[in-house]
Amino acid sequence: MLKGSKFSKVGIVATIMVLVLSMLLSACSKKEATTETPAASVAATAAATAAPAESAAPAALPEVKLTWYFPGNFPQPEQDKVFEEVNKVLKEKINTTVDFKPVGFGEYEQKMQVVIASGEAYDLAFTSNWINNYTSNVAKGAFLPLDDLLVKYAPKSFASVPEAFWTATKVKGKIYGFVNQQISARTPDVVIPKSLVDKYQLDTSAISGKLSVDNLSALEPFIQAVTKDDPKKPFITALSQFGDGFNFETIAGMNVPGAVVYTDDTLKVVNQYESAEVMKFAALMRDWNKKGYLNASERIAKKLDNSQDDLKAGKAGVIIGGAYKPGVEVVMAAQAGYPTVDIPAGQAHLTTGGIIATMHAINRNSKNPERAMMLLELLNTDADLYNLLNFGIKDNHFKIDADGFMVPGDNSKAYAPNVPWMFATNYLAFVDKGMPKTVWEDTKKVNADAVPSKLLGFTFDGTPVKAEIAKTSAVYDEYYRAIELGVASEAKYTEFVAKLKTAGSDKVIAEMQAQIDAWKATK
């Protein structure tokens, strides 16, 4: 629980008077731009009754060591050197150091299940709807409500995030996830090595923004030609990454039964694994696996594909996943080490799922939740610190050229996790050479212009069916990899759906429907 949150009336008045005087004095000097949002006004009010994190001198704060789990392209050769530099800054600014716990993408899900089940008193963890599932963990009571902590210890970050985004994170009216701002209007990115596009003369304009499970076969002639020449360059996607291609929005992530079709005004919840779309996808993957398009025998050893590793190793013909966004071609080319062609799979939708796709949570068992929130505030407001953690040491791992763009440093390969959306707001990132300087304003515009989901603002509370969510998620974990790699027979798929029912999928869906109906009645 938040400590020290009670103030006397005298203390409040005194604090307000001091802040008013400070504002009058600072008005004579540099003025800072602010974002006018309802969240901003709440944060401003809160600042009058609670001292922001930065007002406390580091010497006045007891020294704290935090533990932070997050996934990514780790390990990196010089990650410890970078983490050491980050800790120097944190020690100076908030008298804190961090025990960084980076985990590879393929191992993170299982690692966090073990960590959370053990009751370990870690402090921070990356959470989303696609890995370390947010809804499931909130239902289990794994995360701490952040509302008071945000207002008191992260007022600037709280104010900078649109109110609708915070609403999307709420469960039973409480915020449990700290939003990392980035591209939230989601349609998958279709990534293809440019050399393959040129060699096999793929007309990307014919498929850009038009791919769905119904016409995915339009890619088959290209994939067939590529894999005929090199079977190690497969088609790569995943149930959790195909996204808009299914034309529905999942309620609690792909690993939990329950979805609503984008165009359904009635907001009827269905089991996506009984839908024609997912069954058609599973059948197509079975067919493509038989034809040798998926390199399934090699990929099945991993629980999750890593697009950076696959591209860099030349083991990808087509990848569908992540999110298409302004400047993505530069990012993917940097990861691959060669030019790529990137196109949107479909029409971008702004959904609750897109918003909660990149967040951090504070462990309910954290011994220092206040300092954990101060860390998040610092990372989301201090551009130098953010870029240090993301890109490494300036003039070593990266450089800034004469035009102000970021370019690789002489030692760039020693630290290149390439997950700038992982740690904090992407809008603080240096702009890569080749991107427009307006890339972050462009990204905000994409978010603003996207088609809003009919469920935007609804967040499912999984508490009433937390046991069923745990059981159905376990069933998903048992079968999903075989389904998306086309090695699960039709009989196995039928068995999968039956096990979901036995685990309680119908009960989960009924609870989702009841909550959506109640939410809809208030609109």
Side-chain angles (χ1 to χ4, degrees):
M1 296 296 292
L2 181 60
K3 300 176 182 177
S5 60
K6 296 182 179 179
F7 294 83
S8 67
K9 292 182 179 179
V10 174
I12 293 173
V13 172
T15 304
I16 292 172
M17 290 176 68
V18 170
L19 285 170
V20 169
L21 179 60
S22 299
M23 289 168 65
L24 289 171
L25 290 172
S26 64
C28 298
S29 60
K30 180 180 173 183
K31 293 183 179 179
E32 183 176 0
T34 59
T35 304
E36 295 295 332
T37 66
S41 65
V42 172
T45 301
T49 59
E54 65 181 10
S55 68
L61 294 167
E63 184 174 352
V64 162
K65 187 170 188 177
L66 301 174
T67 300
W68 182 7
Y69 284 95
F70 51 87
N73 302 302
F74 295 101
Q76 293 286 316
E78 293 192 358
Q79 64 185 38
D80 290 341
K81 183 176 181 179
V82 173
F83 296 160
E84 182 180 353
E85 292 301 310
V86 170
N87 274 328
K88 288 178 183 177
V89 177
L90 298 179
K91 184 73 171 66
E92 177 186 348
K93 295 201 172 188
I94 56 173
N95 202 19
T96 299
T97 55
V98 174
D99 181 7
F100 293 98
K101 299 283 191 180
V103 183
F105 278 118
E107 295 78 45
Y108 186 70
E109 180 72 37
Q110 184 174 3
K111 177 67 175 178
M112 290 312 302
Q113 288 178 13
V114 172
V115 167
I116 291 170
S118 74
E120 178 185 328
Y122 73 93
D123 299 286
L124 285 166
F126 182 84
T127 184
S128 70
N129 58 344
W130 57 274
I131 197 168
N132 195 25
N133 189 275
Y134 177 65
T135 303
S136 299
N137 282 315
V138 171
K140 289 189 290 189
F143 298 154
L144 192 69
L146 304 182
D147 306 75
D148 292 341
L149 291 167
L150 279 163
V151 170
K152 186 172 183 181
Y153 295 102
K156 291 182 180 179
S157 299
F158 184 55
S160 71
V161 176
E163 185 181 26
F165 284 32
W166 290 122
T167 300
T169 72
K170 289 184 177 181
V171 179
K172 283 190 175 178
K174 294 289 185 181
I175 297 169
Y176 292 86
F178 188 109
V179 177
N180 293 350
Q181 292 194 84
Q182 57 136 351
I183 186 72
S184 294
R186 293 296 176 116
T187 189
D189 183 24
V190 182
V191 191
I192 310 171
K194 187 176 184 301
S195 60
L196 298 181
V197 172
D198 293 342
K199 179 177 179 179
Y200 299 100
Q201 299 182 333
L202 177 65
D203 180 8
T204 56
S205 65
I207 57 174
S208 179
K210 303 168 188 174
L211 282 179
S212 72
V213 71
D214 291 323
N215 66 0
L216 194 57
S217 57
L219 278 171
E220 182 167 3
F222 174 76
I223 296 167
Q224 181 183 41
V226 171
T227 53
K228 181 181 178 182
D229 289 346
D230 188 347
K232 298 291 187 181
K233 295 185 185 296
F235 170 82
I236 298 174
T237 193
L239 285 165
S240 64
Q241 295 295 310
F242 195 59
D244 277 17
F246 292 125
N247 195 36
F248 56 60
E249 177 178 0
T250 57
I251 309 302
M254 201 66 183
N255 64 323
V256 180
V260 171
V261 175
Y262 280 128
T263 55
D264 184 5
D265 291 330
T266 69
L267 302 183
K268 181 182 178 181
V269 183
V270 299
N271 182 343
Q272 62 267 37
Y273 297 106
E274 294 182 89
S275 71
E277 289 82 5
V278 177
M279 289 192 287
K280 188 177 293 185
F281 174 85
L284 184 63
M285 292 305 102
R286 283 195 294 272
D287 181 54
W288 283 10
N289 178 46
K290 290 176 183 176
K291 293 175 177 176
Y293 299 164
L294 305 183
N295 194 21
S297 59
E298 182 174 332
R299 292 168 57 207
I300 201 164
K302 299 181 292 184
K303 296 285 284 182
L304 188 71
D305 293 297
N306 185 313
S307 61
Q308 176 172 321
D309 289 349
D310 293 330
L311 285 166
K312 192 178 293 185
K315 293 184 176 182
V318 178
I319 297 176
I320 299 180
Y324 182 82
K325 56 190 175 183
V328 70
E329 300 91 346
V330 177
V331 175
M332 298 311 296
Q335 291 185 13
Y338 51 78
T340 62
V341 174
D342 293 72
I343 58 174
Q347 165 70 55
H349 288 80
L350 182 62
T351 66
T352 296
I355 293 166
I356 69 171
T358 51
M359 299 191 298
H360 279 95
I362 295 178
N363 180 14
R364 184 174 287 277
N365 296 326
S366 170
K367 296 177 181 178
N368 294 285
E370 299 89 352
R371 201 68 63 87
M373 184 59 74
M374 290 169 70
L375 169 61
L376 292 174
E377 171 80 333
L378 198 57
L379 280 166
N380 282 272
T381 56
D382 186 324
D384 289 338
L385 177 63
Y386 168 87
N387 284 293
L388 171 62
L389 182 55
N390 271 290
F391 307 117
I393 299 168
K394 186 179 178 183
D395 297 324
N396 180 8
H397 301 118
F398 73 92
K399 298 178 181 179
I400 302 298
D401 71 8
D403 297 318
F405 289 103
M406 183 170 65
V407 296
D410 296 336
N411 195 25
S412 61
K413 292 183 179 179
Y415 188 78
N418 290 314
V419 284
W421 43 266
M422 178 67 66
F423 299 112
T425 173
N426 214 165
Y427 301 154
L428 292 180
F430 289 129
V431 178
D432 285 292
K433 185 79 170 180
M435 285 186 178
K437 286 191 174 181
T438 57
V439 63
W440 303 130
E441 291 306 315
D442 295 346
T443 301
K444 292 176 185 178
K445 187 175 187 303
V446 171
N447 285 342
D449 293 346
V451 176
S453 158
K454 299 178 192 299
L455 277 175
L456 185 62
F458 171 79
T459 302
F460 176 59
D461 172 20
T463 308
V465 286
K466 62 182 179 181
E468 289 77 16
I469 288 175
K471 291 175 184 176
T472 53
S473 295
V475 173
Y476 172 87
D477 287 345
E478 181 183 351
Y479 286 88
Y480 81 92
R481 193 61 172 156
I483 293 169
E484 62 197 20
L485 290 179
V487 299
S489 65
E490 187 174 356
K492 275 291 182 184
Y493 189 90
T494 302
E495 177 183 286
F496 164 60
V497 174
K499 282 192 175 182
L500 286 175
K501 284 187 176 295
T502 301
S505 60
D506 289 344
K507 186 175 179 180
V508 173
I509 289 167
E511 179 63 29
M512 289 175 172
Q513 189 69 67
Q515 291 186 28
I516 288 173
D517 289 346
W519 172 80
K520 188 168 63 170
T522 67
K523 304 302 287 180

